Amino acid sequence: MRRAKLDIKSYPGFFAITLVCLLILYAPLLVVTVYSLNDSNSITNWEGVSLRWYVDVFSGPESQKFKAAAWNSFTIAIIAATVATTIATLAATAMIRSGAFKLRSLSFGLISLPLMVPEIVLAVATLIFFNSVGFTRGYGTILIAHIAFCIPFAYLPIAARMQGIDASYEQAAQDLYATKRQAFTRILLPMMMPGVISGFLLAFIVSLDDFIITNFVKGAGIETLPTAIFGSVKQGIKPNIMAISTLLLGVSILLVTISYVVSKSEKTK
Amino acid sequence: MAGGTASSGGTAADTYKNARPWLLLPAWAFLGVFVLAPVFMMLVYSFLTKEFRGGVIWEFSTAAYDQFFFNRGLFGDEPPTIEWTYIAIFWRSIWQAATATLMALLIGFPTAYFIATRPEKLRPMWVFLITIPYWVNLLIRTVSMKFMLRDNGPINDFLVGTGLINEPITIINTNFAVQLGLFYSYLPFMVLPIYASVERYNFSLSEAAADLYASKWVTLRRILLPAVKPGVVAGCILVFVPSLGSFLAPDLLGGAKNFMIGSLIEEQFKGNAGNWPFGAAASMVLLTMVLILLLIFARQQARAQKGTG
């Protein structure tokens, strides 16, 4: 019976296509990683394994530029993810723990708006807004734009987690004379912490990775890692770009893995 | 993007006076000021007069839309005919995005199906494998693709090495390279929603079809596909929409000839040569197209939900 059922489900070739799909997704990343270890001045010829381009990233002629860009990228990502996670946590609490209220679906629309508007349109709109209110483009404008598009990425895992937590825990706390605030900070917040951490990490990654919006609102004289990389790539792919890309790739994969592990942890405790 | 909204929320909690919609205020304030207001300002800018060194003069004008849709000759005094330049760029973008979507569907559907039919314990791991590349910097992924597709890059090396072709073929800076780039960028978006709907699919329907002597492929086409259509449509939208306005893939993989909407818009805001009202107008046209698409999608999903529930 079980065999027959499995047989009905399986289609010849689907497993092969799945492997092709994974190959397509991962091959370019693997190739860049491998070639970042190439001991050659050209990206075409393979001349053995070395870490020279990683040394170059940290102490080569362009290292000052990349260090400054990395500093901007990381500080912006930390601040943007922190603010976005805070806003998203409050918003999720209102959305999931308030039953039905007016403006509820409209609020959800507003929160997910940055995901629905094409990124280039959001970039243009944000640039125009900063221009019309007279903000000078720079670190601050990048930060504000990043917080805005990080909010939905932080919101989704937090809201998902909170939906899985039964309201009776807070009710029990309130039955035992906990105030609303205590029920939130002492019961709900610790329970939804995995969602909050997961949301923070995702927001951090999307901030770290953003190119298009940053490129529009950054103004002259300030770079983040993606805009610095883009500037270099426009003059051709150089080996040090492969090394810096591999580093950034590693950071993203590490963080998304942590986020995954955390959000799966103690799922229904 | 397809993030589900909460159902009716904590029901019993209502009696405990846990209603606190005011906690939404920070989100409303921030997104209202820095997302909603900017989109509105963009609409306003698209009706202003261009300043020659970038920026705008605050004078009402429909010149931007006029330039987009109509050709009035070199001096602007001829009777208007339809201007095809920008419509052609939009059309090419639609075509590129549609091709990339089709490619993603052909690879993504079997993958999603395969994952959804794995033992339940293993599915999250498969889904995670598909998701990881999405979280890797899009710029870096596009650069990797550029590296792969070069004339003497790994793909050509492989094809020449295996004797399939005699000399490297040019892929980079063609339409096909852009399609490949878009396909590669958004492939995970195709897999995830299809996976979600196949996972919910009741396989006893397929068994019933098999009992009635339907072949596997007939079952797939007549029973499974209609049942998981909402997931397929969602996947197509999630690949098509970001592809349509993408900037990196056409810019890095397509070269100067294979201009898409994203590059057209970006150019209007670069340096002093740009035309801000025109860039805003082109963005408005793109936004309108996307919103219409999402609206159709939302109605279709709502209808599908009514059908099953």
Side-chain angles (χ1 to χ4, degrees):
Chain A
M1 184 63 207
R2 183 162 173 76
R3 276 192 70 88
K5 206 169 163 187
L6 275 176
D7 190 43
I8 282 170
K9 281 188 181 182
S10 74
Y11 284 89
F14 277 24
F15 177 55
I17 295 176
T18 305
L19 292 183
V20 169
C21 180
L22 288 176
L23 182 74
I24 293 167
L25 287 175
Y26 284 94
L29 306 179
L30 278 175
V31 166
V32 163
T33 307
V34 169
Y35 272 81
S36 73
L37 297 166
N38 188 0
D39 185 29
S40 164
N41 284 323
S42 107
I43 54 165
T44 314
N45 305 324
W46 179 260
E47 288 175 17
V49 175
S50 104
L51 288 174
R52 63 178 282 207
W53 295 113
Y54 288 89
V55 175
D56 185 85
V57 165
F58 289 103
S59 57
E62 288 190 293
S63 62
Q64 284 309 319
K65 185 177 94 180
F66 285 132
K67 273 181 196 161
W71 173 255
N72 290 334
S73 272
F74 278 95
T75 53
I76 287 172
I78 287 174
I79 302 172
T82 308
V83 177
T85 307
T86 311
I87 294 177
T89 306
L90 297 176
T93 310
M95 294 285 284
I96 312 288
R97 284 293 192 264
S98 300
F101 59 93
K102 253 196 228 171
L103 302 179
R104 191 167 183 283
S105 51
L106 200 64
S107 300
F108 184 73
L110 184 65
I111 289 169
S112 39
L113 193 64
L115 293 180
M116 292 188 294
V117 176
E119 213 185 346
I120 190 114
V121 174
L122 199 56
V124 167
T126 314
L127 167 66
I128 283 176
F129 175 77
F130 286 140
N131 183 71
S132 64
V133 295
F135 280 21
T136 315
R137 281 187 265 166
Y139 192 92
T141 51
I142 302 177
L143 188 58
I144 290 173
H146 278 222
I147 294 172
F149 70 71
C150 281
I151 290 175
F153 285 96
Y155 175 84
L156 292 175
I158 295 173
R161 177 83 192 184
M162 204 186 295
Q163 265 177 298
I165 300 173
D166 202 84
S168 56
Y169 292 103
E170 294 147 87
Q171 287 162 21
Q174 291 188 337
D175 282 343
L176 299 168
Y177 300 104
T179 63
K180 244 159 69 169
R181 178 185 296 266
Q182 281 172 324
F184 176 75
T185 56
R186 305 283 287 271
I187 307 292
L188 186 59
L189 199 58
M191 287 184 85
M192 66 185 205
M193 216 48 200
V196 174
I197 294 171
S198 172
F200 175 87
L201 289 173
L202 295 189
F204 185 89
I205 297 172
V206 286
S207 165
L208 195 65
D209 285 358
D210 179 73
F211 167 73
I212 294 176
I213 292 174
T214 311
N215 190 38
F216 266 76
V217 301
K218 76 184 178 62
I222 180 164
E223 302 281 355
T224 64
L225 271 179
T227 63
I229 291 173
F230 183 79
S232 287
V233 169
K234 279 306 230 183
Q235 286 135 36
I237 305 177
K238 280 169 286 177
N240 61 344
I241 291 300
M242 312 283 267
I244 204 165
S245 298
T246 306
L247 289 174
L248 209 47
L249 192 156
V251 170
S252 297
I253 292 182
L254 181 72
L255 292 182
V256 78
T257 309
I258 295 174
S259 162
Y260 173 77
V261 172
V262 168
S263 68
K264 283 275 171 276
S265 72
E266 33 183 335
K267 187 75 192 185
T268 43
K269 209 166 141 192
Chain B
M1 259 186 203
T5 169
S7 54
S8 58
T11 44
D14 301 348
T15 54
Y16 279 78
K17 298 200 188 82
N18 270 350
R20 37 201 168 191
W22 55 270
L23 286 177
L24 272 167
L25 278 179
W28 267 97
F30 203 93
L31 294 171
V33 173
F34 295 114
V35 176
L36 214 53
V39 172
F40 177 73
M41 278 313 294
M42 183 175 77
L43 176 66
V44 172
Y45 265 46
S46 72
F47 285 106
L48 294 178
T49 308
K50 94 168 182 190
E51 160 106 72
F52 281 92
R53 287 171 50 250
V56 287
I57 301 166
W58 281 83
E59 235 167 66
F60 178 81
S61 156
T62 54
Y65 291 96
D66 195 82
Q67 181 189 346
F68 192 97
F69 290 109
F70 300 111
N71 181 355
R72 295 175 193 274
L74 201 53
F75 302 103
D77 51 1
E78 291 167 31
T81 53
I82 290 183
E83 169 66 68
W84 291 106
T85 315
Y86 306 113
I87 296 174
I89 290 174
F90 269 65
W91 176 245
R92 174 160 58 230
S93 306
I94 293 172
W95 170 249
Q96 299 283 69
T99 315
T101 307
L102 184 68
M103 285 158 63
L105 182 61
L106 290 177
I107 298 287
F109 184 87
T111 304
Y113 183 90
F114 178 79
I115 295 175
T117 50
R118 290 310 89 203
E120 208 171 334
K121 264 178 136 175
L122 294 177
R123 286 178 212 159
M125 186 215 50
W126 280 100
V127 171
F128 183 56
L129 269 180
I130 299 289
T131 335
I132 288 179
Y134 164 71
W135 295 108
V136 171
N137 197 318
L138 182 61
L139 172 64
I140 289 175
R141 285 193 292 149
T142 312
V143 171
S144 323
M145 206 59 180
K146 190 180 170 80
F147 182 80
M148 296 285 283
L149 299 177
R150 279 175 311 136
D151 287 354
N152 42 10
I155 289 185
N156 267 315
D157 282 356
F158 175 77
L159 292 175
V160 173
T162 54
L164 280 169
I165 52 173
N166 290 324
E167 49 190 70
I169 42 171
T170 303
I171 310 172
I172 200 82
N173 293 345
T174 62
N175 273 330
F176 182 57
V178 179
Q179 288 159 9
L180 273 180
L182 294 173
F183 155 73
Y184 170 60
S185 303
Y186 304 115
L187 179 57
F189 286 165
M190 181 64 84
V191 178
L192 298 177
I194 298 180
Y195 160 77
S197 45
V198 175
E199 204 193 20
R200 280 196 304 269
Y201 172 69
N202 183 355
F203 274 96
S204 51
L205 292 172
S206 291
E207 277 173 56
D211 287 345
L212 298 168
Y213 302 103
S215 77
K216 272 186 161 182
W217 296 102
V218 170
T219 310
L220 177 78
R221 202 160 45 86
R222 304 277 295 269
I223 311 291
L224 177 72
L225 264 185
V228 301
K229 196 174 144 206
V232 173
V233 175
C236 290
I237 295 261
L238 289 182
V239 175
F240 185 80
V241 166
S243 294
L244 194 60
S246 80
F247 166 72
L248 284 172
D251 193 74
L252 290 175
L253 304 173
K257 289 199 316 279
N258 301 292
F259 227 56
M260 279 174 62
I261 305 173
S263 329
L264 174 72
I265 292 173
E266 204 255 3
E267 227 179 34
Q268 308 308 322
F269 297 92
K270 269 270 126 71
N272 291 337
N275 179 342
W276 283 39
F278 182 70
S283 302
M284 282 309 300
V285 176
L286 172 61
L287 181 62
T288 311
M289 275 166 51
V290 168
L291 289 182
I292 290 173
L293 219 75
L294 291 177
L295 214 67
I296 296 172
F297 169 65
R299 291 185 64 168
Q300 195 254 359
Q301 296 281 314
R303 213 168 341 138
Q305 218 143 48
K306 223 186 282 169
T308 56

